[in-house]
């Protein structure tokens, strides 16, 4: 299954707290061992912000939860997604089924 993960920095206290959080997240990131179950198709940051987006594929959603838990300085939103052509095929099938109910 594919997921789009969005993350952004949590609201902090003072600028000292914010700067300390930036240093800590970089320290954690440098030591992080990515689970083999996660395939990153895209991994980008928003320019001028401390956050970004990733398109991740995995059959182990707990590993995405582990990832978001390790980087507690961020808030995460993770949404399941699918390729457009797969979605179109499912929609065509559903519409065909629905139209078969019309009695025509």
């Amino acid at each position: 299954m594919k997921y789009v993960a969005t993350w952004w920095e949590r609201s902090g206290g003072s600028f000292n707290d914010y700067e300390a959080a930036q240093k800590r997240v970089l320290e954690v990131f440098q030591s992080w061992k990515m689970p083999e179950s996660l395939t990153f198709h895209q991994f980008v940051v928003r320019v001028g912000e401390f956050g970004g987006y990733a398109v991740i594929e995995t059959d182990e959603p707990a590993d995405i939860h582990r990832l978001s838990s390790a980087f507690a300085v961020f808030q995460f939103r993770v949404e399941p997604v699918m390729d457009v052509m797969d979605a179109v095929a499912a929609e065509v099938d559903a519409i065909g089924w629905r139209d078969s109910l019309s009695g025509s």
Side-chain angles (χ1 to χ4, degrees):
M1 183 78 183
K2 286 184 182 174
Y3 301 86
V4 171
T6 305
W7 66 94
W8 57 97
E9 60 200 340
R10 291 186 185 276
S11 299
S14 68
F15 70 89
N16 286 329
D17 294 334
Y18 175 76
E19 289 177 357
Q22 279 187 321
K23 288 177 184 176
R24 178 66 177 147
V25 77
L26 292 173
E27 177 186 338
V28 170
F29 186 77
Q30 289 173 339
S31 299
W32 176 252
K33 301 286 190 265
M34 193 64 65
E36 290 184 24
S37 72
L38 300 181
T39 300
F40 279 71
H41 295 284
Q42 292 284 283
F43 192 27
V44 296
V45 298
R46 289 185 300 277
V47 175
E49 290 187 50
F50 207 40
Y53 308 95
V55 177
I56 306 167
E57 190 167 356
T58 186
D59 292 327
E60 300 293 333
D63 285 342
I64 293 177
H65 187 65
R66 186 173 292 110
L67 173 69
S68 64
S69 296
F71 293 93
V73 70
F74 294 117
Q75 294 180 59
F76 286 84
R77 182 176 64 232
V78 179
E79 300 176 86
V81 296
M82 60 191 303
D83 292 320
V84 168
M85 295 311 292
D86 293 337
V88 167
E91 292 165 11
V92 167
D93 185 55
I95 290 167
W97 174 81
R98 184 183 62 212
D99 287 349
S100 75
L101 298 176
S102 67
S104 50

